[in-house]
Amino acid sequence: MKDSEIKILLKECRGPEIDRECKEKSIRFVTGQMKDIRVLYHISYWERLKNMAGYLSPWVWAVQAAILMLLGYFAVLDSQSMLPAAVAAVPLLGCIGCMEIQRGYMCGMWEMEKACRYDLRQVVLLKLQIMGGVDMAVVVCLLAMATGRGITLSKAVFYILLPYFISCFIYFTILCRTDRRASDFVIVGAGILMSAVMWVLLNCIDEVMWSYLDVRMEWTALAAIAAADLMLLSVRRFWKICDKESNKVWSYD
């Protein structure tokens, strides 16, 4: 059919006559259909955290509980044996968290997470909040157990809190450098190497220096704040590039 014929048909075509009765009938029909439409209800922040926690692997919770119980056993057995055990075990907290966060990229599931009700950045942010919150709760419990067994706060911070912050900084830096697809063996190896280096460095601090740090707690606080800043910067950088593929593939700019 030619364009001229189509124009003639369109000119001759008459629109439907709409009167008041037809309008009211259409409104009643649409109103009745709206009752059968499935509307997404509002989900609170805590419900979203709870739902996301259900998707995390059970071995994550098992390892965290095992670390807490193991170090608690060392604290009860001998307070001094808790410190080397803490340096070795605390970096594993950040290790399993990073492995769980990058699992969607390693398995090629990021597109499905992108297509969820909340976008990929929000999904990753929920994972970061859950894993970070649980890890910090474990670290605070370890600090409380250490100080309760007579270990000074400066030693507890250097042996427990700093290894956690620095290890998380290293893990997220590795994830950014490897485009969020680092092998689990690389992350675990980095954690083991980090534990060994921290243990050697902490053994270089003599009792005189520990006494000085106990008196001048501002240096301990400054070291903890610096390590926390490094960790937060690496986490922020990772979060900013977490949906790089989706912006590259689906952007029409």
Side-chain angles (χ1 to χ4, degrees):
M1 182 177 293
K2 298 180 180 180
D3 294 342
S4 56
E5 296 176 351
I6 295 177
K7 290 181 180 180
I8 295 174
L9 289 176
L10 291 176
K11 289 180 180 179
E12 295 178 352
C13 181
R14 295 181 178 180
E17 297 181 0
I18 301 177
D19 54 9
R20 186 175 185 84
E21 181 181 356
C22 182
K23 179 181 178 181
E24 292 178 353
K25 182 178 179 181
S26 300
I27 293 174
R28 288 195 300 269
F29 174 77
V30 173
T31 304
Q33 291 294 319
M34 287 180 62
K35 298 178 181 179
D36 299 329
I37 297 176
R38 182 183 177 185
V39 180
L40 294 176
Y41 60 91
H42 174 70
I43 301 179
S44 66
Y45 170 76
W46 298 108
E47 289 177 332
R48 291 168 61 186
L49 285 179
K50 181 181 177 182
N51 294 336
M52 180 56 63
Y55 289 100
L56 300 180
S57 178
W59 74 271
V60 173
W61 312 111
V63 172
Q64 290 173 331
I67 291 174
L68 183 60
M69 291 187 293
L70 178 64
L71 295 181
Y73 170 77
F74 278 107
V76 174
L77 183 65
D78 181 13
S79 59
Q80 296 303 319
S81 65
M82 179 186 178
L83 297 180
V87 174
V90 167
L92 293 178
L93 292 174
C95 177
I96 61 175
C98 288
M99 290 167 60
E100 181 64 25
I101 290 171
Q102 73 149 357
R103 187 172 55 146
Y105 299 101
M106 291 293 293
C107 300
M109 300 293 289
W110 67 268
E111 285 190 275
M112 294 188 66
E113 292 179 342
K114 178 69 178 178
C116 292
R117 180 175 180 178
Y118 303 100
D119 63 16
L120 186 58
R121 280 198 176 190
Q122 295 185 52
V123 172
V124 173
L125 183 60
L126 287 174
K127 290 182 180 181
L128 288 171
Q129 291 173 340
I130 293 172
M131 300 305 303
V134 175
D135 287 350
M136 284 306 302
V138 174
V139 170
V140 170
C141 290
L142 295 178
L143 290 173
M145 287 191 295
T147 54
R149 294 293 296 171
I151 299 174
T152 60
L153 182 59
S154 59
K155 269 192 175 183
V157 169
F158 274 90
Y159 276 88
I160 298 175
L161 192 61
L162 287 186
Y164 173 73
F165 286 157
I166 297 175
S167 63
C168 288
F169 164 72
I170 293 175
Y171 297 146
F172 281 104
T173 301
I174 292 175
L175 292 183
C176 293
R177 291 290 184 180
T178 58
D179 202 16
R180 291 145 299 138
R181 289 173 176 81
S183 172
D184 293 344
F185 296 103
V186 173
I187 297 178
V188 173
I192 296 174
L193 181 61
M194 202 338 250
S195 300
V197 171
M198 285 295 297
W199 175 245
V200 172
L201 293 177
L202 291 173
N203 280 336
C204 295
I205 303 177
D206 55 13
E207 291 299 327
V208 176
M209 181 59 70
W210 285 122
S211 301
Y212 177 78
L213 291 174
D214 293 337
V215 176
R216 303 294 299 272
M217 287 297 298
E218 60 269 18
W219 292 107
T220 302
L222 182 62
I225 292 173
D229 286 342
L230 288 175
M231 180 192 69
L232 292 176
L233 287 174
S234 62
V235 171
R236 180 176 179 271
R237 182 185 176 191
F238 171 79
W239 185 65
K240 288 180 66 175
I241 66 171
C242 67
D243 58 349
K244 184 175 66 174
E245 287 92 345
S246 61
N247 293 332
K248 181 178 180 181
V249 176
W250 301 107
S251 177
Y252 294 96
D253 298 336

